[in-house]
Amino acid sequence: MPAFAEIQKIPFDGPRSKNPLAFHHYDPNEMVEGKPMRDHLRFSVAYWHTFRGTGSDPFGPGTMHRPWEAASDTVENAQNRARVAFEFMEKLGADFYCFHDRDIAPEGRSLTETNKNLDAVVKVLAEEQQRTGIKLLWGTANMFSNPRFMHGAATSSNADAFAYAAAQVKKALEVTKQLGGENYVFWGGREGYQNLWNTDMKRELDHLARFMHMAVDYAKQIGFTGQFLFEPKPKEPTKHQYDFDAAACINFLRAYDLADHVKLNIETNHATLAGHTMHHELEYAGHQGFLGSIDANTGDLLLGWDTDQFPTDIYLTTQCMLSILKYGGLAPGGVNFDAKVRRESFEPIDLFYAHIGGMDAFARGLKIAAAIRADGALDKLVRERYSSWHSGVGAEIEAGKHSFASLEKYMLEKGEISPNQSGRQELIENLINCYL
Ligand code: XLS
Ligand code: NI
Ligand code: NI
């Protein structure tokens, strides 16, 4: 008995349709800049929010109506849930999914039993991937929920917690490889601190680096060739997380000789928590060569936590896609909806509305970004702003032909700088609105 019996495969109906169970902009086979939309976007469903989210918050328990869930957290229930997940993803038309080890299978009474549980569900996931053609974008390990990780995992003050986490990531890498996962994500759930009085920051960062090197080594050993990704987030659950933002992550990777092995998975709501925009984070990671994948969601600018809402803002998705196209696309990364329906949107059908909205918003963003690029007007304005660098002293400085002394000589002769040009911000804002 299907879980979503009343829902058919979500069709592409075009922008004029009012059918809420259809795409209005996402047509997987439509060509944009010479590539089908589905290959640009590589949409992924987040197992934890969509199939494990209960709607609980600090003030009350879960609200979600999920008729397929049994009362107890058994392996059989987890296997059944996996089949439901694939029914959902197949009807939606998502090409990828992502999970934490503990999303897909329950913990047992020992690590041995936990690993056995994982294997039993991975078997079903493999069958369902085979049946549907849906692929694993990335796997990861949950090393923040269990109380053993209260002080962190790789950065815990307890060496045994580090060892347990290592055993967990070892297994998570094995199953990610087994399922053909194209990436593996590190998000440091509790890799940070609550206060500095009790924290040896250098020691913790050294441990985190050692941990990541062990993961790189083990991947090599088992022949896992997926891309490692580090996911920045400044805070929550800890007061300060070491993977604060793109710049902090890139510095860490370079300082500890991990830059050749790890790129970034950038999440919108984490960018805003860090006091940046998603556009800023994508540009920063992109020009440094670290753009790997994105966790597509959005926050509420009036709330100071990770609300993980589905993205519907066309300015946001346009900015994302402009940066993504500029830096050559995301593959082997993708657009993972690390997003959850609101606590009040408790019906199963809301999962469809949420993902359809996010996918359409990104499809529109992609088309708008491609139109902006094809037109070239924005590019031209930016280039003009820097025109003083295209010849004369600007070109000479860029070519490394100057020093402070030679520039002093140049300025003493010239006396004053050439007139500045307008930044044209308002003109550009109006221009962008013409494409929306
Ligand atoms: C939490 C993170 C998490 C990672 C995967 O805020 O976004 O969901 O994406 O561990
Ligand atoms: Ni995330
Ligand atoms: Ni998040």
Side-chain angles (χ1 to χ4, degrees):
M1 167 74 177
F4 306 99
E6 69 292 359
I7 304 217
Q8 311 300 313
K9 172 110 178 53
I10 306 300
F12 169 69
D13 272 7
R16 283 180 204 290
S17 155
K18 291 273 189 299
N19 178 3
L21 287 170
F23 293 113
H24 303 126
H25 301 280
Y26 178 57
D27 177 1
N29 299 318
E30 183 180 331
M31 300 296 280
V32 178
E33 296 199 1
K35 210 160 78 174
M37 266 196 189
R38 62 155 28 107
D39 296 345
H40 280 285
L41 296 166
R42 298 168 59 84
F43 284 130
S44 158
V45 171
Y47 209 94
W48 52 103
H49 286 309
T50 298
F51 305 111
R52 302 313 308 274
T54 62
S56 66
D57 71 12
F59 298 92
T63 55
M64 296 297 156
H65 178 56
R66 302 288 183 251
W68 56 86
E69 290 284 338
S72 62
D73 198 10
T74 61
V75 171
E76 292 67 44
N77 184 38
Q79 289 174 322
N80 180 53
R81 180 192 299 125
R83 295 192 188 96
V84 171
F86 274 81
E87 183 198 338
F88 173 82
M89 295 188 288
E90 200 182 12
K91 286 184 168 164
L92 178 66
D95 292 330
F96 295 89
Y97 72 114
C98 297
F99 62 71
H100 302 82
D101 48 3
R102 303 301 175 247
D103 303 333
I104 56 173
E107 287 211 55
R109 279 156 305 183
S110 65
L111 186 56
T112 310
E113 190 182 307
T114 300
N115 287 346
K116 232 177 89 204
N117 293 352
L118 198 57
D119 287 333
V121 182
V122 164
K123 191 169 158 281
V124 176
L125 293 173
E127 286 163 16
E128 290 294 296
Q129 286 187 201
Q130 187 70 28
R131 181 181 69 74
T132 59
I134 294 169
K135 294 188 274 187
L136 180 62
L137 186 66
W138 47 265
T140 188
N142 177 332
M143 303 185 297
F144 43 87
S145 295
N146 192 295
R148 75 173 66 89
F149 297 121
M150 65 169 73
H151 295 292
T155 66
S156 176
S157 46
N158 182 340
D160 271 355
F162 183 108
Y164 199 103
Q168 208 177 312
V169 172
K170 174 178 178 290
K171 181 70 180 170
L173 280 169
E174 289 163 11
V175 305
T176 299
K177 174 176 188 256
Q178 193 183 333
L179 292 169
E182 299 192 19
N183 305 267
Y184 184 88
V185 164
F186 291 105
W187 169 62
R190 294 183 194 274
E191 313 292 29
Y193 59 80
Q194 299 293 13
N195 81 88
L196 278 177
W197 294 116
N198 70 3
T199 301
D200 185 339
M201 193 197 281
K202 163 126 186 5
R203 200 165 190 178
E204 294 198 359
L205 284 168
D206 287 351
H207 293 169
L208 182 59
R210 182 167 301 275
F211 192 92
M212 285 170 86
H213 274 289
M214 285 183 191
V216 168
D217 290 346
Y218 190 64
K220 200 177 280 171
Q221 194 182 319
I222 64 172
F224 172 67
T225 53
Q227 174 68 49
F228 279 107
L229 300 168
F230 197 16
E231 181 175 324
K233 181 174 184 179
K235 55 188 160 197
E236 195 204 25
T238 60
K239 167 197 169 77
H240 179 102
Q241 270 159 224
Y242 296 132
D243 49 10
F244 196 92
D245 60 2
C249 286
I250 291 170
N251 180 61
F252 171 83
L253 295 172
R254 290 210 174 111
Y256 286 98
D257 203 19
L258 286 156
D260 290 344
H261 309 287
V262 186
K263 288 189 171 159
L264 301 188
N265 180 38
I266 311 260
E267 177 165 326
T268 320
N269 207 160
H270 299 180
T272 47
L273 286 179
H276 304 307
T277 58
M278 181 64 162
H279 200 187
H280 167 97
E281 288 291 83
L282 292 174
E283 281 299 313
Y284 197 90
H287 72 74
Q288 292 288 313
F290 282 83
L291 179 54
S293 197
I294 70 168
D295 270 3
N297 61 17
T298 192
D300 183 319
L301 292 181
L302 300 183
L303 300 177
W305 63 91
D306 199 8
T307 60
D308 285 333
Q309 288 164 240
F310 278 83
T312 54
D313 180 336
I314 308 299
Y315 284 109
L316 168 68
T317 57
T318 298
Q319 289 167 347
C320 288
M321 293 316 302
L322 267 177
S323 294
I324 289 167
L325 291 174
K326 176 167 160 189
Y327 297 108
L330 289 175
V335 175
N336 172 49
F337 290 109
D338 193 351
K340 61 187 179 209
V341 290
R342 298 304 86 193
R343 189 168 188 267
E344 302 79 5
S345 308
F346 61 89
E347 294 180 2
I349 198 168
D350 291 310
L351 295 173
F352 279 96
Y353 296 143
H355 285 87
I356 290 169
M359 289 161 82
D360 263 347
F362 263 88
R364 269 195 88 181
L366 170 61
K367 286 191 277 190
I368 294 165
I372 292 173
R373 282 157 58 87
D375 184 53
L378 176 62
D379 232 34
K380 189 158 167 273
L381 283 163
V382 177
R383 266 192 74 73
E384 270 167 16
R385 184 159 180 247
Y386 293 90
S387 57
S388 67
W389 294 90
H390 298 163
S391 59
V393 74
E396 289 161 20
I397 294 170
E398 285 193 350
K401 291 185 184 144
H402 273 288
S403 64
F404 272 9
S406 68
L407 289 174
E408 182 192 46
K409 182 164 173 285
Y410 166 78
M411 222 58 251
L412 285 172
E413 275 161 24
K414 190 162 181 179
E416 190 43 88
I417 73 164
S418 310
N420 273 313
Q421 292 167 319
S422 165
R424 299 270 186 257
Q425 179 172 331
E426 297 77 7
L427 169 70
I428 290 178
E429 285 166 347
N430 298 348
L431 173 70
I432 297 297
N433 277 351
C434 296
Y435 302 96
L436 295 191

